[in-house]
Amino acid sequence: MVPDAYPWETTWSLMDEDGVVILSGEAEGAGICFPAGMCLNFQINDSDGDGMLGESYYKLFVDGEELYYSNGNFGSGENINLNCPSGYDCTTATEIDGLGVYTATLDDHWFVYEAEYTGQYQISTCGGDCNTILYLYDVCSANNDTYDDTNIATIYFSDDECGVQSEMYPILETGTSYYIRVSGYSDCDAADINWEISYSGPVFGCTLETACNFNPLATMDDGSCLVWGDPGCDGGPDLHVLEDVL
């Protein structure tokens, strides 16, 4: 750790999976030995809420390998999981290499998928045995406080779409990485959850933004665009969104 000019504002702690603090400190580095396979959570806080300023930074290492670097721009604080299994959080998300059926082996399992096509997909746990939830994000933050059990930060969210299982129909863009979080209620504890991702096809519609029937969800133009004044245009509201006010 290289502290900033206000080192008294910085504190950190290292905890095990149960939240028990096993090491803590202020604006200085430290090291500890721990059993192989032990999942740890590192939390750093700044009492003034502006992170570590200037040329300051900190790095986290396990067995000499740098696992995380921060330039100190973390505001009030951030949480980083270390040495945790694949899928434990978005930073350790299990990569999936294509469409098909996959298995979530953790109670809250993260996957990352780079969309192969632009269009509508189907992500589903339907047909399972326990009560599941699906979350879809287009960003991964090292700060675990970004995510909770609600649909905060999601771009799509599903709970009880098919009985107590979940299903969503997101529109994804090729080449973009998406984070799929498969979770379950208490009846899913210690149970594997099978889920599937499939491609439904492009979304057809008018893609011309100045047209009266512009479809912002369309991924492929179907030639249906109408200019304002065309008899086929419905009378619309004469409202203008003030982006700066919104």
Side-chain angles (χ1 to χ4, degrees), residues 87-89 102-111 123-126 128-137 147-151 154 156-161 164-168 179-196:
Y88 189 82
D89 62 3
Y102 296 90
T103 302
T105 57
L106 304 176
D107 293 341
D108 199 39
H109 199 140
W110 290 73
F111 297 84
I123 302 174
S124 175
T125 62
C126 295
D129 297 323
C130 62
N131 194 346
T132 59
I133 317 169
L134 286 171
Y135 309 78
L136 186 66
Y137 307 88
Y147 313 105
D148 60 16
D149 293 334
T150 71
N151 60 354
T154 62
Y156 290 89
F157 173 84
S158 175
D159 188 10
D160 297 344
E161 181 71 20
V164 295
Q165 280 79 48
S166 301
E167 191 167 64
M168 59 174 64
Y179 296 87
I180 304 164
R181 179 182 167 199
V182 181
S183 186
Y185 290 93
S186 58
D187 63 330
C188 292
D189 288 351
D192 292 348
I193 299 173
N194 293 321
W195 64 279
E196 182 176 10

Side-chain angles (χ1 to χ4, degrees), residues 163 177 227:
S177 293
V227 297

